[in-house]
Amino acid sequence: MLFIRWFKDLTIKDIPLVGGKNASLGEMCSKLSKNGIKLPDGFALTAEAYWNFLRKNGLDKKIKNLLKNLNKKNISSLAKTGAKIRGMILSAEFPKEIEKEIKTAYKELGKKSSARGGEIEVAVRSSATAEDLPDASFAGQQETYLNVKGEKDLLLACKKCVASLFTDRAISYREDKGFDHMYVALSVGVQEMIRSDLAASGVMFTLDTESGFKGVVLINAAYGLGENVVKGRVVPDQFFVFKEGLKNGHKSIISRRLGSKEMKLVYSDKGGTIQQKVNFKDRNKYCLTDEEILKLAKWGVKIEEHYGHPMDIEWAKDGITGELFIVQARSETVKSREKKNVMETYNLKKKGKILLQGISIGQKIGQGKAKVINSPKQMDKFKPGDVLVTRITDPDWEPIMRIAGAIITEQGGKTSHAAIVSRELGIPCVVGAEKARQVIKNKQAITVSCAEGDVGIIYEGLLPFEVKRTELKKVQPSRTKILMNVGDPTSAFNLASLPCDGVGLAREEFIFTNFIKIHPLALVHYKEITNKKIKSQIDELTIGYRDKTQYCVDKLAEGIGFISSAFYPNDVVVRLSDFKTNEYASLIGGAKYEPKEENPMLGWRGASRYYDPKYKPGFKLECLALKKAREEWGLKNIIVMVPFCRTVEEGKKVLAVMKEFGLEKGKNGLQVYMMCEIPSNVILAKEFCEIFDGFSIGSNDLTQMTLGVDRDSSLVSHIYDENNTAVKRLIREIIQIARKNGKKVGICGQAPSDYPEFAEFLVQEGIDSISLNPDTVLKTRERIVAMEKKIGKVKNNNFKMAMASKLLMIFGVVGLVTALSGYTCQTVNNQAVVDGLKQTLTEEISGLKSQLRQEIAEELSEKQTSSFQEDGFAKFSVSYPSAWTIGHWEDGVGFSSLDGKEWFKIFTQVLGHPVSEDLITTTTFFGYPAKRFPEASLKDGTSYEVLEIYPKGYKKQGVIEISGDKNNFEKMLGNIGNFEVKK
């Protein structure tokens, strides 16, 4: 046949012949069906048939003339032109040869259909030759007609598809994308219908549609034909599947959200389709089984691997056979093509009265005057910047959507038309906001926030907000691992684009507060609850769960799963719940199970809860959630961390309880870390090393406990200082002990994010990892890379030799005792003399040991040095005691002991010190003119010395000052090498 091609005979190379949609169906039929992917049979009416139809009816020239001087911004003119062209096409007739081939192919398709035979129902789809390209998607621009039966209806549907190439939105879209209208042809696809009207259907993306994260498959599903999902008429069920877990044989459905699914599109007895209500029982259960979700996800991954990029796929389940089918697939062209050079983060500066909530699309904030519109025919009332409020959108709404400040629809999900278009346009959108047209008043000022996770919130008034832009540079890798602190699971996919090595702190508290919302023990003892209000709140949140505790397990696992999959295979350290009793009490039903404590900060929190019989059943749910994420979903990168563990005995009890509930340290590669946040954790660090795999320093609590300061009290807040010498000494000690015992040690407190010099101190001490707040990751990483280049630790060889000679002295004395003991046993008869001699020698050895220990400590302090390389304001190297810390800034560098009494600085300043010339000694330093100043004193009585270098001469501006405490100045001055001032 000249104008017909069967899908099985087509490949993706046939886009010019049959358009993107039909070519993709042909590619899958010919290449992927052998891999078990099922597709309904069908055929395509070629682009040549389209041009033949236009030419035979004289429409090509007429259409070209009508579009010649079109002003797409004139909505009224655009509508009139589109309507006229469509009318001309529908009035024309197919040439006889084309009509004959369509009828012949339709009959043959009926004969092939093993399910029904004869005149079968088909779907008639549009497929433009510029559609579904990798850099442009015309999805939804042309029409699809379902449940078409009989030759007459098929011919009409084919003609309607051709006419839909000239809908207002299709004309506008081609204009925007720069496509010549007369170079785009339309092919028609005729495909056997899958009876999803008796089952379910939906859409699948092989990435997260909001962040562009490529590690998951997103599936939307609803009852009936797929048009309701695509056009956003219902809120569908939503599932996320973790790809790597799936590839490794795990049932990695890491998230499931129950949609309302109020309506379904089904066959009409008169032909075509009608809407039908879904009964309450079916609405409150998922329309796909786990096996079906996993099967679709596997197909999605195979299709993506075949095409080599993320895909947007439509699927359907046949209600007669129970089989799943892929009905079309196109390239995802929004998030997968987005250039991630800059990451934008929107934040509300303050919150107001909440009017409505729905599903957020995108991560932006928009605001303006609301325009409640029921039909695109009212588009003349809409002004640029207004917020569109309507029931649903379809392609006819796109001229309005393009100029909206934000979009709100009452129906739809993440793959609805409103969601897809707003995402492409970069406009914040909230879908599924029930009763929006009733609650929001016309011309009311509102703020639409999609920056608060999966939930989109509509606030009353125009609230102030800010936009932070982070440039995503390529940074060099660092020896010190740079991790992130992540609390909100819904932000994890977006944060995964930052250059980091994993997550150093994933907080369960955020998941409990924002996802679960119910106290674990209220779920454990649900049947015993008598308070009707609390029980009603629990029932509302746990719809579909007969076992209420499973709700907690699933939601907690989901939150953990989002974070862990986002950063897979890098480590994700999940801290067990560390609510204080007053915080636990604020959860639904929590007041009954929590005591009132005078000081919750030091009370029943962290490890002490987990093995306590009063909370142990609640802790079991945490363990089951972690076990599910690790073992069922394959997220073996999860490391569990125990917070606020006061004693070694307490740590052992927690590990025993975890093992009881299926989380055994060492089994299936499970590592268990401990938060180091109490002085006892440092004092007993060696003992804690025997039971835990690593440590994460919680500098917030460690500072509080070390200094005896309540960090929540404003009265003593001025004392709270993570840079305090006592805190730093404890941190230094835990790092040294952990490294000595082969344990990992990192930090997840606030200090490295807030204080660059603190991060530099940690690098110098050799910490394994630093976990930062997301907004400081890039800057801190760059600083740490620079620091690691400048710091190179070396041991003094003389120190090694000195230690060796002293050890020989000890062994020599021990040898003397041994020899003398043997001799005296044979020749000295007076036992008292022998005993006295032994006692004397023993005391001598003890004294030598004590002296040696002291000398070793002194030698370690004095002889172990580090080297620093500067190549900024000047170029030089300097050796300094490894026990000292470094502070580096743009125009200088400083070295000091932890107590600050010993110090040495090199920095630039404009002018020299105003000191009498009689007191100054002129000299040179590496060939540069210099001045040596007399000894001076600080306020605390500490003496110091100063040398000033004048690179441009004594009378010129621009001085480099070198200063330091009197006891170390000469030595440090002599440690400077290859000093050079840059021109």
Side-chain angles (χ1 to χ4, degrees), residues 215-318:
V216 291
V217 176
L218 167 64
I219 299 172
N220 276 185
Y223 296 115
L225 301 172
E227 192 173 336
N228 274 1
V229 176
V230 174
K231 293 194 173 179
R233 292 182 182 136
V234 296
V235 178
D237 295 337
Q238 176 181 289
F239 310 96
F240 276 104
V241 181
F242 172 49
K243 286 181 184 175
E244 283 302 315
L246 187 71
K247 290 176 184 177
N248 294 325
H250 295 283
K251 297 178 179 180
S252 51
I253 307 169
I254 63 171
S255 172
R256 59 187 85 218
R257 301 287 172 86
L258 189 67
S260 55
K261 310 183 295 292
E262 301 98 333
M263 305 294 291
K264 62 179 178 179
L265 191 66
V266 298
Y267 281 13
S268 168
D269 295 336
K270 299 177 181 178
T273 57
I274 57 169
Q275 294 288 351
Q276 188 179 91
K277 284 188 177 181
V278 178
N279 66 62
F280 185 78
K281 183 180 178 181
D282 286 341
R283 285 178 57 187
N284 288 317
K285 68 179 183 182
Y286 295 109
C287 58
L288 287 176
T289 65
D290 284 1
E291 289 72 22
E292 289 167 340
I293 295 165
L294 294 169
K295 188 172 189 176
L296 284 173
K298 286 176 184 176
W299 285 0
V301 170
K302 285 181 180 178
I303 293 169
E304 179 184 61
E305 288 174 347
H306 178 78
Y307 283 95
H309 52 255
M311 298 294 289
D312 169 359
I313 303 162
E314 291 183 30
W315 60 271
K317 178 182 176 180
D318 194 299

Side-chain angles (χ1 to χ4, degrees), residues 830-850:
N830 191 331
Q831 188 63 40
V833 174
V834 175
D835 292 342
L837 183 58
K838 286 183 178 179
Q839 177 65 32
T840 301
L841 288 170
T842 302
E843 289 174 359
E844 285 293 324
I845 291 170
S846 179
L848 281 170
K849 284 182 178 178
S850 177

Side-chain angles (χ1 to χ4, degrees), residues 810-825:
I810 271 284
F811 290 130
V813 174
V814 172
L816 174 62
V817 171
T818 305
L820 201 54
S821 297
Y823 172 77
T824 54
C825 288

Side-chain angles (χ1 to χ4, degrees), residues 446-657:
I446 57 174
T447 297
V448 179
S449 173
C450 295
E452 300 173 61
D454 272 353
V455 179
I457 303 175
I458 296 101
Y459 293 96
E460 184 177 59
L462 305 179
L463 302 180
F465 66 92
E466 62 181 358
V467 184
K468 292 182 180 178
R469 291 176 174 84
T470 304
E471 187 179 353
L472 299 180
K473 305 173 185 175
K474 285 187 177 179
V475 294
Q476 296 179 26
S478 57
R479 183 199 64 78
T480 309
K481 285 190 174 183
I482 304 302
L483 309 177
M484 258 197 293
N485 301 329
V486 180
D488 181 3
T490 60
S491 68
F493 290 166
N494 194 47
L495 293 175
S497 61
L498 288 171
C500 74
D501 302 305
V503 175
L505 176 63
R507 303 180 183 91
E508 283 189 6
E509 298 82 54
F510 188 96
I511 303 171
F512 270 108
T513 303
N514 295 278
F515 283 66
I516 299 169
K517 301 181 181 180
I518 306 166
H519 193 288
L521 292 179
L523 294 167
V524 171
H525 302 295
Y526 170 77
K527 293 180 180 178
E528 300 167 20
I529 295 174
T530 56
N531 186 306
K532 291 182 180 180
K533 182 180 178 182
I534 290 174
K535 204 153 192 174
S536 175
Q537 288 176 305
I538 294 174
D539 288 342
E540 186 177 346
L541 287 168
T542 59
I543 290 175
Y545 284 92
R546 296 184 65 182
D547 179 357
K548 301 302 180 183
T549 60
Q550 192 60 42
Y551 164 80
C552 180
V553 172
D554 288 350
K555 288 298 177 185
L556 182 55
E558 178 182 320
I560 294 169
F562 263 68
I563 298 172
S564 304
S565 62
F567 295 89
Y568 187 89
N570 289 326
D571 289 344
V572 172
V573 181
V574 179
R575 186 179 69 186
L576 297 168
S577 63
D578 192 25
F579 275 134
K580 295 177 280 295
T581 49
N582 58 323
E583 294 167 336
Y584 264 119
S586 66
L587 296 173
I588 295 171
K592 179 180 178 181
Y593 304 101
E594 298 298 329
K596 290 185 179 179
E597 297 182 295
E598 291 297 326
N599 191 347
M601 188 76 74
L602 296 177
W604 196 37
R605 61 176 286 203
S608 62
R609 296 180 67 97
Y610 309 148
Y611 58 86
D612 191 314
K614 294 190 293 294
Y615 186 72
K616 190 176 174 182
F619 181 61
K620 178 182 180 180
L621 306 185
E622 291 186 48
C623 293
L624 293 177
L626 285 159
K627 182 179 172 67
K628 181 174 186 175
R630 278 181 54 82
E631 297 179 14
E632 186 177 327
W633 298 342
L635 290 163
K636 298 292 178 64
N637 59 328
I638 294 172
I639 295 172
V640 179
M641 183 158 67
V642 179
F644 222 77
C645 185
R646 295 171 170 95
T647 68
V648 177
E649 291 72 23
E650 193 167 54
K652 291 177 179 177
K653 288 180 181 179
V654 172
L655 291 173
V657 173

Side-chain angles (χ1 to χ4, degrees), residues 681-739:
N681 299 152
V682 182
I683 295 166
L684 297 173
K686 185 178 178 182
E687 288 78 3
F688 278 115
C689 281
E690 294 174 4
I691 64 171
F692 288 110
D693 297 303
F695 301 92
S696 184
I697 302 165
S699 59
N700 296 354
D701 270 354
L702 186 60
T703 302
Q704 175 177 246
M705 300 299 171
T706 303
L707 301 179
V709 175
D710 182 352
R711 68 171 185 258
D712 292 335
S713 171
S714 59
L715 297 173
V716 290
S717 61
H718 62 285
I719 302 171
Y720 183 89
D721 180 12
E722 288 152 310
N723 275 303
N724 185 277
T725 301
V727 179
K728 282 189 170 181
R729 280 185 181 174
L730 289 175
I731 290 173
R732 168 178 286 165
E733 187 172 346
I734 187 64
I735 293 172
Q736 290 175 350
I737 294 172
R739 291 179 68 84

